[in-house]
Amino acid sequence: MVLRLLKYGLRSDYPVTGDIPVTPTPKPAYDVVIIGAGGHGLACAHYLSKYHGIHDVAVLDKGWLAGGNTARNTTTIRSNYITPQGIAFYKEGVTLYEAMSEELDFNVMFSQRGQLTFAHSEATLRSFHLRAETGRHMGIGIEVVDQKGVEALCPHLNMDYGGALEVLGGLWHPDGGTARHDAVAWGYAAQAARRGVEIHQRTEVTAIEVAGGRVQAVVTNRGRIAAGQVMIACGGMNYDMALKAGVELPIRCYPLQAMVTQPVKPWLHTLVSSVSLHTYLVQSSRGEMVIGGGSDPYQLYSTRSTLDMKEHLAEGAVHLFPFLKNLRLLRQWAGITDMTPDYSPIMGESPVDGLWLDCGWGTWGFKATPVAGKRMAECIATGRVPEILQPFALERFERFALLNEMGATAASH
């Protein structure tokens, strides 16, 4: 075994995976160049190649496949948003997740166990009723449950009866769930690669060439690549990347931290979150407790974790479930969220012809992976923005047609 590890470890031509071959030097030109080999970029490449017959596609990433925010999220999938436009979009995302393992011929470990968000005040409970009515109107599974309903769904919860953080009720979303983030990315990558898409890791885009109002090429550390169309989908670096093409986006970037504990026997069978405590928890398939919260309150391009956030998340988790107090932490990490003023993404056309935007995902990019990939592929293939994406156009900020989803996150911001 040791000799075999040495043999393959020293080979420079050994493929990353049997499904994703090591690509040669980039070609001088491609029909489509996608900047960002995360979930969204890889999903778009898959849908372009499988459903639109566009195979001359290069996916570029300055790091490694799915090594950015795709590897740093907490795997939550849901559609219980606030605006009708947001609900319709994420509802399609949940539907695609339900069929994803079959679509990719790869087990993405999708687990639809529901999400329960706690209300610690009457004001929060009233907002939950509004969200439930809107969600039911849009055809998603969602309802407000009382204290007995919360106890039935989460019997281990500290209800804090009579306390300052008494749980008065909850927002139950049975459609919610989780999937394995790396499985999603590698599944899309493998399918795209089988159809001729090239995935170039360690290929950093240093410039985007524009002439006559149209995108011409991208310049990388491995040479210039001409492109018929370019899509930007690189998570926390979207603002900087768009600026290379002369497009300034209304985006500000903040770190988003999470942490995970040692594994324990399964006991938490739903996703749970508290807006007042800015904390949410989910138990992984391996038994680890994944704990997350809101973004850090300052702009920064950083993936370093901090002690104050660790203490904050631990305090919230222990308040909800006091028996976790002696559980040991395994690791803590951070991603970079690209937030828009209305907490909704920017998708579709840019001011530069042939340059497409898949940006501004903030804290919910993973749950949108399949629907964003599918619909952005449709944009690129047809040259038209589908109706479901039109509300998320960049120009909405000029028209003051904002889609306020600020309160839709499980842990608030």
Side-chain angles (χ1 to χ4, degrees):
M1 178 62 72
V2 174
L3 292 175
R4 187 176 300 174
L5 287 172
L6 288 172
K7 174 185 175 182
Y8 289 112
L10 295 174
R11 282 181 60 179
S12 60
D13 61 337
Y14 193 70
V16 176
T17 172
D19 293 319
I20 306 173
V22 172
T23 51
T25 301
K27 296 188 299 187
Y30 294 89
D31 290 341
V32 179
V33 168
I34 297 172
I35 305 173
H40 286 223
L42 295 167
C44 182
H46 163 72
Y47 289 106
L48 279 172
S49 60
K50 182 175 181 178
Y51 295 99
H52 300 284
I54 300 175
H55 307 283
D56 189 26
V57 179
V59 184
L60 314 180
D61 200 288
K62 71 175 183 179
W64 59 93
L65 190 151
N69 284 355
T70 299
R72 299 171 184 274
N73 68 82
T74 50
T75 73
T76 301
I77 298 162
R78 60 187 178 90
S79 57
N80 56 344
Y81 282 75
I82 296 175
T83 66
Q85 299 91 334
I87 294 170
F89 178 79
Y90 290 101
K91 177 185 175 183
E92 183 171 310
V94 171
T95 301
L96 290 169
Y97 265 113
E98 290 171 344
M100 185 178 289
S101 292
E102 184 177 354
E103 168 75 17
L104 301 180
D105 191 26
F106 194 85
N107 184 12
V108 300
M109 302 174 69
F110 178 62
S111 174
Q112 200 163 24
R113 42 189 149 157
Q115 183 197 46
L116 179 62
T117 307
F118 307 128
H120 301 274
S121 68
E122 292 290 346
T124 302
L125 207 53
R126 286 194 296 272
S127 73
F128 283 179
H129 281 285
L130 175 61
R131 288 176 64 178
E133 290 298 322
T134 305
R136 281 196 294 269
H137 176 72
M138 296 300 297
I140 67 170
I142 188 170
E143 64 175 314
V144 177
V145 295
D146 59 14
Q147 289 180 317
K148 290 184 178 179
V150 171
E151 288 182 318
L153 289 165
C154 191
H156 303 289
L157 176 68
N158 170 30
M159 298 291 291
D160 195 28
Y161 285 117
L165 290 171
E166 179 178 357
V167 177
L168 304 179
L171 187 66
W172 172 238
H173 179 46
D175 299 347
T178 60
R180 183 74 183 179
H181 46 65
D182 50 356
V184 171
W186 283 87
Y188 276 125
Q191 287 291 332
R194 289 171 192 164
R195 295 181 174 85
V197 172
E198 293 186 1
I199 301 170
H200 294 272
Q201 303 177 83
R202 301 296 185 183
T203 305
E204 182 177 1
V205 175
T206 57
I208 299 176
E209 293 184 5
V210 177
R214 179 171 181 81
V215 68
Q216 302 294 320
V218 297
V219 180
T220 77
N221 60 330
R222 300 173 67 197
R224 180 183 184 273
I225 303 173
Q229 300 187 76
V230 174
M231 185 179 85
I232 297 175
C234 46
M237 304 308 296
N238 281 323
Y239 175 87
D240 294 60
M241 190 58 64
L243 206 58
K244 296 180 190 298
V247 178
E248 186 170 9
L249 300 176
I251 284 176
R252 297 294 181 268
C253 295
Y254 300 83
L256 178 68
Q257 298 185 48
M259 60 189 190
V260 66
T261 72
Q262 66 186 104
V264 292
K265 290 182 178 181
W267 64 272
L268 185 60
H269 305 296
T270 63
L271 293 77
V272 298
S273 59
S274 167
V275 176
S276 297
L277 289 169
H278 292 252
T279 306
Y280 63 90
L281 296 90
V282 60
Q283 189 167 23
S284 75
S285 58
R286 294 182 297 193
E288 302 157 328
M289 300 307 305
V290 182
I291 308 171
S295 299
D296 289 351
Y298 43 79
Q299 295 181 40
L300 190 66
Y301 288 90
S302 173
T303 56
R304 297 189 64 179
S305 56
T306 61
L307 177 60
D308 61 336
M309 182 57 71
K310 182 188 283 122
E311 292 175 339
H312 164 74
L313 295 178
E315 182 180 12
V318 170
H319 177 85
L320 295 173
F321 305 102
F323 55 87
L324 296 179
K325 64 181 181 180
N326 292 323
L327 206 58
R328 295 183 178 181
L329 290 178
L330 289 184
R331 56 191 177 276
Q332 182 186 9
W333 67 91
I336 305 173
T337 62
D338 50 332
M339 306 298 302
T340 61
D342 60 357
Y343 286 67
S344 288
I346 299 169
M347 288 181 285
E349 298 173 303
S350 78
V352 176
D353 191 20
L355 181 68
W356 299 93
L357 302 173
D358 182 16
C359 307
W361 287 104
T363 65
W364 33 69
F366 177 70
K367 54 187 65 63
T369 298
V371 61
K374 174 185 175 181
R375 294 303 187 170
M376 289 306 302
E378 185 178 343
C379 288
I380 294 170
T382 65
R384 298 187 302 272
V385 178
E387 184 177 355
I388 196 171
L389 295 192
Q390 290 174 9
F392 303 98
L394 174 61
E395 63 179 23
R396 76 178 184 270
F397 297 102
E398 297 178 359
R399 296 185 285 108
F400 296 98
L402 304 186
L403 299 172
N404 183 21
E405 294 286 0
M406 183 175 182
T409 182
S412 189
H413 290 295

